[in-house]
């Protein structure tokens, strides 16, 4: 959960006032990418998968910080890693993958030294909402946010912060037009990214019902207009419209809480909802509250603050958030996103490919295709990647995500063909794209009950079953 500075008192009363926040960042901060990985952990020492306590997670966080890592904690039993920033060209991505593997191994080993096991799922299947609430980390903003969410959103929405984990790949565009172009490709890629990186065990909240959905993506829909596909994007034809639409969404987004003039937070409720636009009557429409309101938009492609090394905001970046967390998913999401989202030969090939699947390049016209593709992946009914995607531009007949995935596999392979050190990682991604055998599909075939998934986690926690650390490769400077 991103914190914001509470001392930015400049008032924002209009779109023009807010537009200054979306000015091009300094050139030194643009053209970069980074990866954030949320890692669910369990404590299996008492013979069942349990959520680690808040105190134990904070101890693990402190141990990692002593090793030089800015480790963060999500609400309950989830450790978050953030990579260094790099450029998205293939050689730099190769070095980033090396860093990801080595540093994630350090996080995993540190967790093991504390008595915990990293699980290969995006959601620990045996953890209930109450389990998570009982072990939630102590952060005032988090506590108030969770309390407000209980009151103002549908019940399952609370499962998103409490139970799920993701891989987020961020990019720093040079201006609003580049952000729009990147968002256009990223939203088209998201259904495939969700499907290929799906790591659900098949079960949630310790119930024996096997799901035919992608619950993490489904929970986003509980936020209504503030979650999933951004209406700001779907109603835009260029970068200027995209940003202005986005600002309107920030003004109207349901806030979980806001800051008063002294920097104290006060919660929203169903009876007393809070929006940034509504704060103007009390003179609380400050930049701090605007930046806070922006964090309450949970779109698949999220616009966020871009910060320098000291934490100062220098502009905006965008996060590609569709990928589940898991063991291979961080590398897969990084390779796939870096190949497609930033401008370059592969982006042009992807744009041309989208036309074969009925996309015109204008989100206003393509909105039905974006919506239907997301819906098909989220509610796959056990078909996983064997669902519809796009349409035949001549006949209007539905096309296949598996066919699209195979076409994208060729683009990805071309992107990294001169990086032999990435051969095994690219091969793993291409295999999923060509076969449709995402982890969730394999887990679904393996686990016939919640007990099977639980037993698997307990087996993984045994020392003899823990994977060996990866061999060191070339490191990139921090």
């Amino acid at each position: 959960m991103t914190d914001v500075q509470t001392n930015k008192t400049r008032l924002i009363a209009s779109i023009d006032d807010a537009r200054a926040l979306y000015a091009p960042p300094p050139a030194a901060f643009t053209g970069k990418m980074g990866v954030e990985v949320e890692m669910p952990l369990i404590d299996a020492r008492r013979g069942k998968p349990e959520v680690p306590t808040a105190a134990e997670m904070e101890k693990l966080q402190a141990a990692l910080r002593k090793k030089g890592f800015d480790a963060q904690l999500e609400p309950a039993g989830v450790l978050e890693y953030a990579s260094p920033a790099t450029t998205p060209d293939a050689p730099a991505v190769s070095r980033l993958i090396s860093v990801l593997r080595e540093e994630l191994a350090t996080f995993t080993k540190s967790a093991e030294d504390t008595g915990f096991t990293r699980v290969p799922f995006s959601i620990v299947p045996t953890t209930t909402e109450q389990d998570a609430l009982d072990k939630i980390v102590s952060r005032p903003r988090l506590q108030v946010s969770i309390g407000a969410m209980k009151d103002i959103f549908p019940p399952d929405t609370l499962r998103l912060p409490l139970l799920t984990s993701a891989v987020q790949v961020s990019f720093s565009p040079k201006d609003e037009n580049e952000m729009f172009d990147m968002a256009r490709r990223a939203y088209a890629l998201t259904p495939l990214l969700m499907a290929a990186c799906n790591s659900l065990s098949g079960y949630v909240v310790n119930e024996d019902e096997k799901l035919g959905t992608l619950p993490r993506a489904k929970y986003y829909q509980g936020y209504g207009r503030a979650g999933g596909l951004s209406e700001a994007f779907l109603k835009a034809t260029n970068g200027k419209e995209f940003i202005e639409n986005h600002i309107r969404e920030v003004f109207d987004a349901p806030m979980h809480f806001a800051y008063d003039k002294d920097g104290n937070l006060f919660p929203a409720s169903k009876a007393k909802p809070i929006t940034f636009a509504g704060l103007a009557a009390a003179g609380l429409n400050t930049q701090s509250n605007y930046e806070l309101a922006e964090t309450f938009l949970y779109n698949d492609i999220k616009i966020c603050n871009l910060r320098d090394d000291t934490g100062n905001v220098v502009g905006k970046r965008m996060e590609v958030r569709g990928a589940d967390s898991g063991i291979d998913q961080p590398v897969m999401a990084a390779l796939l996103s870096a190949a497609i989202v930033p401008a370059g030969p592969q982006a042009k090939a992807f744009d041309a490919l989208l036309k074969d699947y009925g996309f015109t390049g204008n989100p206003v016209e393509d909105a039905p295709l974006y919506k239907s593709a997301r819906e098909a992946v989220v509610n796959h009914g056990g078909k996983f990647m064997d669902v519809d995607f796009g349409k035949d531009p001549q006949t209007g007949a539905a096309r296949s995500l598996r066919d699209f995935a195979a076409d994208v596999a060729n683009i990805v392979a071309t992107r990294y063909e001169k990086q032999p050190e990435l051969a095994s990682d690219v091969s793993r991604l291409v295999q999923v794209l060509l076969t449709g055998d995402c982890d969730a599909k394999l887990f679904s075939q393996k686990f016939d009950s919640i007990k099977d998934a639980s037993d698997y986690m307990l087996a993984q926690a045994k020392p003899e079953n823990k994977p060996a650390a990866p061999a060191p490769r070339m490191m990139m400077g921090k």
Side-chain angles (χ1 to χ4, degrees):
M1 179 173 288
T2 305
D3 290 317
V4 301
Q5 297 173 342
T6 61
N7 59 353
K8 298 180 180 180
T9 58
R10 182 174 75 89
L11 295 182
I12 295 177
S14 66
I15 290 177
D16 287 341
D17 291 339
R19 278 200 64 86
L21 304 177
Y22 300 86
F29 295 93
T30 63
K32 302 289 175 53
M33 67 170 289
V35 182
E36 295 178 0
V37 182
E38 298 168 353
M39 290 168 276
L41 305 176
I42 61 165
D43 184 347
R45 290 173 292 183
R46 285 174 285 275
K48 61 179 181 178
E50 296 180 329
V51 182
T53 68
E56 289 169 327
M57 291 297 294
E58 288 163 3
K59 181 179 178 181
L60 172 58
Q61 180 186 40
L64 284 163
R65 287 183 170 174
K66 285 183 179 179
K67 295 179 181 180
F69 295 102
D70 184 22
Q72 300 295 321
L73 300 179
E74 291 299 303
V78 175
L79 182 66
E80 183 174 334
Y81 161 85
S83 80
T86 187
T87 54
D89 56 280
V93 171
S94 177
R95 294 190 293 271
L96 176 63
I97 296 304
S98 178
V99 170
L100 272 177
R101 289 204 173 279
E102 185 141 346
E103 296 189 341
L104 288 176
T106 299
F107 271 54
T108 302
K109 180 63 166 57
S110 296
E112 291 172 356
D113 290 343
T114 312
F116 306 142
T117 299
R118 179 183 168 195
V119 301
F121 311 130
S122 58
I123 302 174
V124 178
T126 51
T127 299
T128 66
E129 291 176 38
Q130 191 60 50
D131 292 336
L133 288 169
D134 290 343
K135 304 288 182 66
I136 200 167
V137 296
S138 180
R139 291 169 60 185
R141 169 177 171 165
L142 176 61
Q143 312 282 9
V144 173
S145 184
I146 294 294
M149 287 182 67
K150 286 182 178 179
D151 190 41
I152 63 180
F153 291 118
D156 283 358
T157 312
L158 193 61
R159 294 180 178 182
L160 184 69
L162 286 180
L163 304 180
T164 71
S165 60
V167 177
Q168 296 145 13
V169 183
S170 64
F171 297 93
S172 51
K174 65 183 179 182
D175 56 32
E176 60 190 20
N177 289 322
E178 185 173 62
M179 179 175 282
F180 175 70
D181 284 340
M182 294 174 78
R184 182 175 49 76
R185 287 189 289 272
Y187 269 115
L189 179 65
T190 290
L192 178 57
L193 191 66
M194 287 177 171
C197 294
N198 184 351
S199 63
L200 184 73
S201 68
Y203 305 93
V204 298
V205 296
N206 208 35
E207 294 176 351
D208 213 17
E209 177 192 2
K210 183 177 287 189
L211 300 182
T213 62
L214 210 171
R216 190 177 65 82
K218 196 175 183 71
Y219 297 155
Y220 274 107
Q221 296 171 349
Y223 292 109
R225 293 177 59 193
L229 271 165
S230 164
E231 291 187 15
F233 168 74
L234 294 178
K235 294 178 180 178
T237 61
N238 55 55
K240 182 175 183 293
E241 290 180 1
F242 181 32
I243 294 304
E244 291 183 353
N245 291 346
H246 171 75
I247 292 170
R248 292 187 184 95
E249 287 199 342
V250 176
F251 271 61
D252 295 336
M255 298 177 69
H256 305 179
F257 60 88
Y259 294 113
D260 65 20
K261 292 180 180 179
D262 297 319
N264 301 310
L265 54 85
F266 58 95
S269 67
K270 188 175 292 186
K272 294 183 178 181
I274 300 174
T275 63
F276 179 76
L279 292 173
L284 296 178
N285 52 321
T286 62
Q287 183 175 333
S288 288
N289 274 326
Y290 180 90
E291 292 181 355
L292 177 65
E294 188 173 57
T295 71
F296 295 131
L297 292 176
Y298 296 94
N299 301 124
D300 297 332
I301 310 301
K302 187 174 175 69
I303 297 177
C304 314
N305 279 337
L306 175 65
R307 301 177 187 273
D308 62 18
D309 291 340
T310 63
N312 292 317
V313 177
V314 296
K316 296 293 181 180
R317 61 186 174 91
M318 52 173 274
E319 288 181 345
V320 181
R321 300 166 61 87
D324 275 354
S325 185
I327 304 304
D328 291 336
Q329 282 71 14
V331 170
M332 293 168 61
L335 290 174
L336 190 52
S337 300
I340 300 301
V341 175
Q346 283 71 45
K348 289 182 179 179
F350 186 73
D351 287 342
L353 177 63
L354 287 175
K355 292 181 180 179
D356 292 338
Y357 285 81
F359 289 82
T360 67
N362 180 349
V364 176
E365 294 183 38
D366 296 337
L369 294 182
Y370 283 112
K371 291 177 180 179
S372 62
R374 191 186 197 280
E375 171 68 18
V377 167
V378 171
N379 296 298
H380 58 76
K383 295 180 179 180
F384 297 96
M385 292 178 66
D386 292 309
V387 295
D388 293 343
F389 178 87
K391 66 180 181 180
D392 184 297
Q394 275 75 48
T395 67
R399 296 204 63 184
S400 160
L401 183 66
R402 281 286 301 281
D403 289 343
F404 182 69
D407 292 332
V408 172
N410 290 329
I411 296 174
V412 171
T414 301
R415 172 72 166 187
Y416 303 109
E417 63 185 355
K418 295 182 180 179
Q419 312 306 136
E421 69 277 10
L422 285 177
S424 61
D425 293 319
V426 174
S427 177
R428 165 75 170 119
L429 172 58
V430 167
Q431 179 189 35
V432 173
L433 296 177
L434 293 179
T435 65
D437 289 341
C438 62
D439 279 359
K441 179 179 180 181
L442 301 179
F443 290 142
S444 179
Q445 295 168 351
K446 186 179 185 70
F447 306 141
D448 291 328
S449 67
I450 184 70
K451 184 178 184 302
D452 291 340
S454 177
D455 289 346
Y456 181 83
M457 288 190 291
L458 294 178
Q460 293 295 302
K462 295 180 179 178
E464 62 269 23
N465 292 333
K466 295 187 184 298
R473 288 163 52 185
M474 182 189 304
M475 293 290 290
M476 65 184 287
K478 288 192 175 183

